[in-house]
Amino acid sequence: MKRVLAVTSVLIGLIGLSAAPANAVDTTKGYDGICTGADARTGVTVVVDFQELAAPRITRCSPNAAPGTARTGIKALQDAGIAVAGTARWGLAFVCRLEGRPSATETLPLSTNPNYKEACVTTPPAGAYWGYWHADGSGTTWTYSSTGALNRNVVPGGFEGWSFSLNKSATTNPPPGVTPRNPAIP
């Protein structure tokens, strides 16, 4: 009986790992919501939309500690307190996980492989990846980035968006579900 209980406890623990909560934001960096005050024109707002990964959307200000200096999209994520992991092969040139999602034990039901699990070894598949978006803060629409976040500098006062895309095409990849409008930008 003790052995059955021990095995059951382990299985319950493993099941809990399959959908890791997205709540590990480092609150000592950045702050919740869009950039305001002095950060409205020098910081960048970072939005992480988990979409089908079923976790609460994250919107945080990523202040620029040295206004006037360029920062990459990866640095903006880190300055907002968002945990970012790349792939073993390409490092942060390919974002594999944000806030631990998708976890290594999480099943991603790809149309081509219903039991797929992301190991973060090489480039994530076209059917399950973090789409990278940006906006300058003056409008209401996102632009899909044709450049990776490690090679793109953010726009002060703008928005950086991440949206998980599951079984979508290049034209149906969803933008983040937040309007990228900065009230301080005319």
Side-chain angles (χ1 to χ4, degrees):
M1 183 66 165
K2 287 182 181 180
R3 179 175 278 171
V4 170
L5 287 175
V7 170
T8 302
S9 295
V10 168
L11 289 175
I12 290 170
L14 289 174
I15 291 167
L17 289 175
S18 68
N23 61 357
V25 171
D26 182 350
T27 57
T28 65
K29 298 178 180 178
Y31 53 88
D32 286 334
I34 67 167
C35 294
T36 59
D39 298 320
R41 292 183 176 272
T42 60
V44 65
T45 300
V46 175
V47 178
V48 178
D49 197 332
F50 294 91
Q51 303 288 352
E52 292 94 348
L53 293 178
R57 184 182 307 125
I58 298 170
T59 303
R60 292 188 60 80
C61 179
S62 175
N64 189 345
T69 60
R71 290 188 300 158
T72 67
I74 294 295
K75 180 73 170 130
L77 274 169
Q78 294 167 334
D79 290 347
I82 306 295
V84 57
T87 64
R89 182 173 184 187
W90 303 108
L92 291 175
F94 282 96
V95 170
C96 184
R97 297 193 211 304
L98 293 174
E99 286 302 307
R101 301 292 303 279
S103 74
T105 60
E106 192 168 356
T107 300
L108 299 172
L110 289 174
S111 55
T112 57
N113 180 355
N115 297 311
Y116 180 78
K117 290 182 175 54
E118 181 56 67
C120 293
V121 173
T122 189
T123 310
Y129 71 98
W130 283 103
Y132 177 45
W133 301 77
H134 57 85
D136 67 8
S138 67
T140 58
T141 58
W142 291 95
T143 300
Y144 187 78
S145 184
S146 59
T147 307
L150 192 60
N151 297 315
R152 184 182 173 281
N153 287 331
V154 302
V155 174
F159 284 68
E160 291 284 293
W162 295 88
S163 180
F164 195 76
S165 180
L166 183 61
N167 294 316
K168 304 284 192 296
S169 69
T171 58
T172 61
N173 182 324
V178 169
T179 302
R181 178 82 176 106
N182 180 341
I185 306 287

